[in-house]
Amino acid sequence: MSTFPVLIVVSVITLLFLFKLVRKHKRDSTKNYPNGSMGFLPVIGESLSFVKAQKANRGQEWVEERVAKYGPIFKTSLMGGPTVFITGRAGTKFVLGAETEVLVPRQPVTISSIMGKHNLFEVAGTKRYKPIRQAMMSFLKPDSLQGHIKRMDSMVNARIDKDTRGKETITTLSFMKKLTFHVACQILFGITDDPTEQALYEEFGHCFEAMWSAPLNFPGTTFRKGIQARKRIVKKILPIMEKRKEQIKKGTLNPMNDVLSCMLSLETEAAENDDQEEPITMNEVIDNFVAMMIASHDSSASVLTWVIWKLAKDREIYDNVVKEQMSITDERKQRQQQGGGEADGRLTWGDVAKMKYTWRVVQEVMRVIPPFFGSFRTAIKDTSYGGYDIPKGWQVFWVAYATHMNNDIFNDPAKFDPSRFDSKSNIISPYSYLPFGAGHHTCIGLEFSRVEALVVLHHMVTKFEWSLVNSDEKITRLALPYPEMGLPINLIPKNSCWSPIP
């Protein structure tokens, strides 16, 4: 088929978009929009240059170039929609502190298409937000997680042993991705079948790549591959959900076993309650499963990879972490020798609570290399900030590095210093430290992520020492920061490694 007719169609569509934009500009000429460029092509805008900069770890420079040209508040077009960038602590407070009647955490079309329009971000500000969030929090709150700590410890211990057995070198990023996905499947969603887990792992990989791609739904594009992968995920998980629903109805499955069962129990209760105005649907459960699976493992894998990198680069930090973790191992040995209800040799909630220095190291890694460059919000009514109008429907993007590396907020921000997170001696201003968001938009999975990271690091540092294969490996970003080559490391098993009785 000739490409000439296609070019004509594309040209006509582009001209129509431009005509619409010109008309809209004339209608809204009384508004004071931020300065900036919306890009040459409608819809695509500056998406391609932004994604290119992110992949080269030049996202900060991309923003700073526009801040220097337009100011700390500027407009552009990203991921299919007009977008206002807001930088600095005051701007972050405005975005993350805004009520859901003004700004909601709805995502660009590329992200919402993969996660689904009923996920927790998309329903913020509606009646559906509270029950769905409560279902997730009923499992993710600390007192619920306490009951799963020993299972997580055994699972992580066994998986690390399995995936490192006989290996002198591992690629840290893929190792951590598979490990955190395994924990998410088993602990969060109750998926214990290995073939199902492996199939889902591959499909979610396509989904994650698609979320920060250009919104081009054509054969061969990254976005199209992500859409198709999501369809296969839904097809795979639906029979599992239907079976769980029946078990919950019969009373043979405890809804508190995992997050997925918690959500399905709401769906089941809603179906049996004729008085409920907006019953929870299977589509809502599916979308939140997809969204939470994406959120629950890739960010943790990225953070853990960079902690492993830092421990390899800084012997003093590594030795301090090992000292803390070995003291906990010694206490576990003593408990097992003394016997009693807690004497099965596995980590307890109290053990995790003692990992204070290790957690401060993780926090400092997330400050220096934020897991998220920033995030989108959407204005659901006309609003304004800094003297500029933000129309209803526009996206708003806040940036993490603008506060994380600000000398007025963190003393000597380029220095790696875990002690800055010692709450007894330092107070960090609200809306300044943002790996988990802030205010009432703080990530609901914070506590789960903390526990998971500490359990993984406990086993890594008590089992191994390691060195970097490539000491000068660069950072690339595909939404999250990754080592360019996946951070291969040389493993050195510790002869004194002790494992509890399985």
Side-chain angles (χ1 to χ4, degrees):
M1 179 180 177
S2 172
T3 59
F4 185 67
V6 177
L7 290 174
I8 292 177
V9 172
V10 171
S11 299
V12 170
I13 293 174
T14 300
L15 287 172
L16 289 173
F17 268 116
L18 289 173
F19 179 68
K20 183 177 179 181
L21 287 175
V22 169
R23 289 189 62 191
K24 182 174 178 58
H25 177 72
K26 288 181 178 179
R27 287 198 308 269
D28 298 342
S29 59
T30 58
K31 291 186 178 295
N32 183 29
Y33 296 120
N35 296 319
S37 170
M38 305 299 279
F40 178 69
L41 292 174
V43 182
I44 295 176
E46 294 191 298
S47 299
L48 298 179
S49 67
F50 179 69
V51 171
K52 182 179 179 181
Q54 289 285 74
K55 287 183 177 179
N57 195 36
R58 292 187 62 255
Q60 179 174 337
E61 295 175 37
W62 189 93
V63 173
E64 288 177 346
E65 288 171 2
R66 285 154 180 78
V67 168
K69 188 174 182 179
Y70 305 119
I73 307 169
F74 64 89
K75 69 181 179 184
T76 183
S77 177
L78 284 186
M79 309 305 173
T83 305
V84 175
F85 268 71
I86 297 179
T87 62
R89 179 179 173 273
T92 301
K93 183 177 181 180
F94 164 74
V95 177
L96 295 180
E99 296 296 329
T100 53
E101 290 80 9
V102 179
L103 297 177
V104 293
R106 291 175 191 161
Q107 304 298 297
V109 62
T110 51
I111 298 177
S112 62
S113 296
I114 297 297
M115 289 189 174
K117 64 181 180 180
H118 303 293
N119 77 74
L120 192 64
F121 301 108
E122 297 296 312
V123 300
T126 72
K127 293 179 179 179
R128 307 311 318 136
Y129 180 78
K130 186 175 180 180
I132 293 172
R133 190 179 192 277
Q134 285 180 338
M136 294 180 177
M137 285 303 299
S138 63
F139 182 85
L140 293 170
K141 58 187 178 182
D143 57 344
S144 177
L145 290 175
Q146 289 184 39
H148 297 272
I149 185 69
K150 290 188 175 184
R151 183 177 169 221
M152 183 186 292
D153 176 56
S154 296
M155 183 185 306
V156 169
N157 184 24
R159 191 70 179 213
I160 290 177
D161 285 349
K162 176 184 176 182
D163 289 352
T164 60
R165 190 174 299 126
K167 296 181 180 179
E168 296 181 355
T169 303
I170 62 169
T171 302
T172 310
L173 181 60
S174 61
F175 172 82
M176 290 299 179
K177 279 190 173 187
K178 291 176 181 177
L179 177 58
T180 55
F181 192 84
H182 178 64
V183 172
C185 279
Q186 300 255 340
I187 300 292
L188 288 181
F189 303 113
I191 298 171
T192 58
D193 177 63
D194 287 342
T196 300
E197 178 183 322
Q198 181 58 36
L200 289 174
Y201 178 79
E202 294 173 3
E203 301 296 3
F204 272 103
H206 295 306
C207 287
F208 194 82
E209 290 179 6
M211 291 196 306
W212 285 76
S213 64
L216 302 174
N217 194 4
F218 302 119
T221 63
T222 301
F223 184 57
R224 170 65 70 89
K225 292 176 182 177
I227 294 294
Q228 292 173 333
R230 177 193 154 87
K231 291 179 180 178
R232 292 190 292 269
I233 289 169
V234 173
K235 185 177 180 180
K236 195 80 175 176
I237 199 68
L238 265 176
I240 296 173
M241 291 183 174
E242 293 292 349
K243 182 178 180 180
R244 296 255 186 107
K245 282 176 58 180
E246 289 301 315
Q247 291 174 323
I248 291 170
K249 286 181 180 179
K250 294 176 181 178
T252 59
L253 176 66
N254 183 352
M256 293 304 297
N257 277 0
D258 54 81
V259 176
L260 184 57
S261 296
C262 286
M263 290 191 291
L264 285 169
S265 68
L266 281 182
E267 195 270 348
T268 302
E269 290 171 7
E272 296 173 351
N273 184 357
D274 296 333
D275 296 329
Q276 185 157 332
E277 295 181 2
E278 297 182 42
I280 293 174
T281 67
M282 186 64 91
N283 285 335
E284 287 179 310
V285 179
I286 290 171
D287 288 355
N288 282 283
F289 162 74
V290 173
M292 195 171 181
M293 181 64 91
I294 290 172
S296 65
H297 88 280
D298 241 29
S299 56
S300 295
S302 174
V303 170
L304 284 164
T305 296
W306 289 115
V307 175
I308 295 297
W309 169 83
K310 182 60 185 177
L311 295 181
K313 300 277 282 188
D314 193 321
R315 187 70 195 193
E316 181 180 357
I317 297 290
Y318 172 83
D319 287 342
N320 288 338
V321 170
V322 170
K323 181 180 179 181
E324 179 176 79
Q325 296 299 332
M326 289 306 298
S327 69
I328 292 170
T329 293
D330 291 340
E331 291 179 11
R332 294 165 74 193
K333 290 180 183 178
Q334 292 176 8
R335 287 202 304 265
Q336 193 173 31
Q337 292 169 355
Q338 294 171 358
E342 293 288 314
D344 57 9
R346 292 181 290 178
L347 284 171
T348 66
W349 188 259
D351 292 331
V352 173
K354 295 173 184 176
M355 302 179 185
K356 299 184 184 302
Y357 179 80
T358 306
W359 180 238
R360 289 199 291 268
V361 170
V362 178
Q363 288 177 293
E364 181 70 340
V365 166
M366 291 189 291
R367 184 190 67 83
V368 176
I369 309 176
F372 293 99
F373 182 78
S375 185
F376 289 94
R377 294 291 185 270
T378 298
I380 59 173
K381 71 176 183 179
D382 290 347
T383 186
S384 62
Y385 176 75
Y388 294 106
D389 293 310
I390 303 174
K392 176 182 177 180
W394 279 39
Q395 298 172 152
V396 179
F397 193 94
W398 60 268
V399 184
Y401 85 87
T403 56
H404 284 202
M405 301 306 290
N406 189 321
N407 193 58
D408 294 332
I409 297 173
F410 293 101
N411 183 43
D412 194 6
K415 179 183 178 182
F416 191 91
D417 180 14
S419 69
R420 70 174 83 245
F421 290 98
D422 183 350
S423 59
K424 295 180 180 178
S425 57
N426 295 291
I427 298 177
I428 298 174
S429 302
Y431 300 97
S432 299
Y433 180 65
L434 307 165
F436 294 101
H440 52 267
H441 289 299
T442 300
C443 175
I444 63 174
L446 189 160
E447 192 64 18
F448 179 85
S449 298
R450 182 185 74 87
V451 172
E452 180 185 46
L454 292 174
V455 171
V456 170
L457 290 171
H458 172 81
H459 287 287
M460 288 298 294
V461 301
T462 56
K463 292 175 184 290
F464 305 104
E465 292 187 20
W466 55 86
S467 62
L468 302 178
V469 173
N470 307 293
S471 59
D472 57 350
E473 193 165 351
K474 296 179 181 180
I475 299 175
T476 185
R477 273 189 180 267
L478 184 62
L480 300 178
Y482 295 143
E484 197 170 44
M485 290 174 280
L487 199 73
I489 57 174
N490 300 308
L491 286 179
I492 308 167
K494 292 183 176 179
N495 294 329
S496 60
C497 175
W498 170 82
S499 295
I501 297 173

